[in-house]
Amino acid sequence: LIKFTLSRYDGHVNAPCSPKLIAFFQNVHAISPKFYRIFCQNFGGYNERTLRRFEAIESPEVPIIDCSEKLIKKRAIDWITNLRGNNKNKMILVSAMADATKVPPMGDFSHRYKVWVGGIFPNHCIKEMDYDQNNFVQTKMASEIKVGMLSTQESTDGISPFKVIAARPQATNEVADEYNSSILHAVDDIPNVHCVSMAFDGLAAETYFIRSNLISFMNGNTNTVVMTDCNHAAKNIRSQLVLGSDIVTGGNALFDVGILHLAGVSMDLYRVSDYASDVVVLKLCSSETIDKLLNLVVTSKEDPLNVAFMAISLYFLRTFLCAYNTDHINSEGRITMLWSVLM
């Protein structure tokens, strides 16, 4: 921003600008056009007409948040066609995935598409003639956007092995089984293309969809298996151990978070602020944390039974993560580790 501003003040009216800075200008303008005008007067940002021109250049013909089944399949077909090149009958195996990411809950008018955007599906893309700005302010804004993507191992030069085929604005952890199904079946109508798997975080909102499709796979009704992220499962286990929604016991032993405090374990590991971080879970069940717990038996009068139970619980949480993520472990070893955690 400083380089851009100084360049403009030196007389370079059409100074080059990085994509990140253009996105910053667009976001500021979306939050408050009035504030953006004041900002431009002081920092020399692009005028509003130029921002609209950038929007028109960068945007596809149809917005990615238009997530109708017809358009999802069209994007998948176009991608597969490019992947195949001259070999029109080439067999391609793809995997699907869907995950939500946080977005600021605010709306804006898209001059490229002449629609109001930012609301929760199905009020996420409202035509100008159907809504005015005063009514749009009352629309509930989306707090996250769920992105659907396809991937393959059959990539060719110049063609990405990944393809975003839809994005659905929604409320936090909203159930979207119909949308998930559209992503899962995006390539069903394309000859010699098969979706072998679909991956999710495994949130409660996705439980029914995952379970029903897994049962269908095990009954032999489909060749597509639906899977959850093992790291997300580890975060759920962590939450059950330390966040206090339930008291975790094993026989007469208790998982007492206060013991972690006495042992000198960092508070960030059990008073979690970043629930999505994999590193926080790894540090909680690290050898360093377990050593601190075991040293507590020597240096204090804390009940050894509780300390041992906590150390064992963290050890098996680490075993769960290693079974999935560590290289150079054969399938037999991984299965043994997972069964030991389960038991």
Side-chain angles (χ1 to χ4, degrees), residues 100-103 142-146 168-174:
T101 186
K102 292 291 182 183
V103 293
S143 56
E144 65 181 27
I145 188 162
K146 192 167 191 175
R168 182 184 191 270
Q170 60 182 34
T172 302
N173 295 338
E174 183 180 334

Side-chain angles (χ1 to χ4, degrees), residues 306-334:
N306 289 340
V307 174
F309 173 65
M310 293 175 68
I312 290 170
S313 298
L314 294 177
Y315 168 79
F316 279 112
L317 176 56
R318 186 68 176 217
T319 302
F320 176 83
L321 287 167
C322 287
Y324 277 107
N325 297 325
T326 305
D327 294 333
H328 312 304
I329 299 178
N330 60 30
S331 57
E332 229 174 73
R334 294 182 195 276

Side-chain angles (χ1 to χ4, degrees), residues 57-191:
I57 293 171
E58 297 168 358
S59 302
E61 185 178 343
V62 179
I64 195 68
I65 59 172
D66 191 333
C67 46
S68 64
E69 186 174 347
K70 180 181 178 181
L71 276 171
I72 288 174
K73 290 189 174 184
K74 182 183 182 303
R75 294 180 188 121
I77 291 170
D78 292 344
W79 177 60
I80 294 295
T81 302
N82 290 333
L83 281 174
R84 282 176 164 168
N86 295 327
N87 189 354
K88 304 299 182 183
N89 296 318
K90 180 181 179 181
M91 178 178 286
I92 295 178
L93 303 179
V94 303
S95 292
M97 61 206 79
D99 193 16
T101 186
K102 292 291 182 183
V103 293
M106 64 184 192
D108 192 21
F109 182 75
S110 171
H111 294 272
R112 168 71 172 87
Y113 303 112
K114 306 300 181 189
V115 293
W116 292 98
V117 296
I120 292 174
F121 181 90
N123 297 319
H124 63 301
C125 204
I126 303 171
K127 292 181 181 179
E128 182 180 13
M129 64 185 72
D130 297 335
Y131 250 51
D132 61 32
Q133 188 169 7
N134 294 327
N135 287 333
F136 186 70
V137 170
Q138 301 172 10
T139 302
K140 190 173 181 181
M141 295 294 111
S143 56
E144 65 181 27
I145 188 162
K146 192 167 191 175
V147 178
M149 181 183 288
L150 299 178
S151 67
T152 182
Q153 300 290 327
E154 304 290 338
S155 61
T156 55
D157 290 343
I159 306 298
S160 172
F162 303 99
K163 176 65 177 179
V164 175
I165 57 174
R168 182 184 191 270
Q170 60 182 34
T172 302
N173 295 338
E174 183 180 334
V175 176
D177 289 348
E178 186 176 346
Y179 173 74
N180 294 337
S181 182
S182 296
I183 302 298
L184 179 63
H185 298 291
V187 298
D188 284 3
D189 298 335
I190 309 175

Side-chain angles (χ1 to χ4, degrees), residues 192-205:
N192 280 345
V193 179
H194 306 283
C195 183
V196 295
S197 65
M198 185 168 184
F200 290 96
D201 269 348
L203 298 172

Side-chain angles (χ1 to χ4, degrees), residues 225-284:
V225 61
V226 177
M227 301 177 291
T228 58
D229 177 15
C230 59
N231 290 325
H232 194 86
K235 293 169 203 169
N236 289 338
I237 297 172
R238 180 273 312 275
S239 299
Q240 293 173 29
L241 290 175
V242 303
L243 296 187
S245 56
D246 294 300
I247 298 175
V248 180
T249 61
N252 295 323
L254 173 71
F255 196 103
D256 186 352
V257 178
I259 294 178
L260 293 173
H261 175 70
L262 291 174
V265 177
S266 172
M267 193 177 294
D268 294 334
L269 303 185
Y270 55 87
R271 288 191 179 177
V272 184
S273 57
D274 185 0
Y275 292 92
S277 173
D278 295 326
V279 176
V280 172
V281 182
L282 288 171
K283 286 184 177 179
L284 177 65

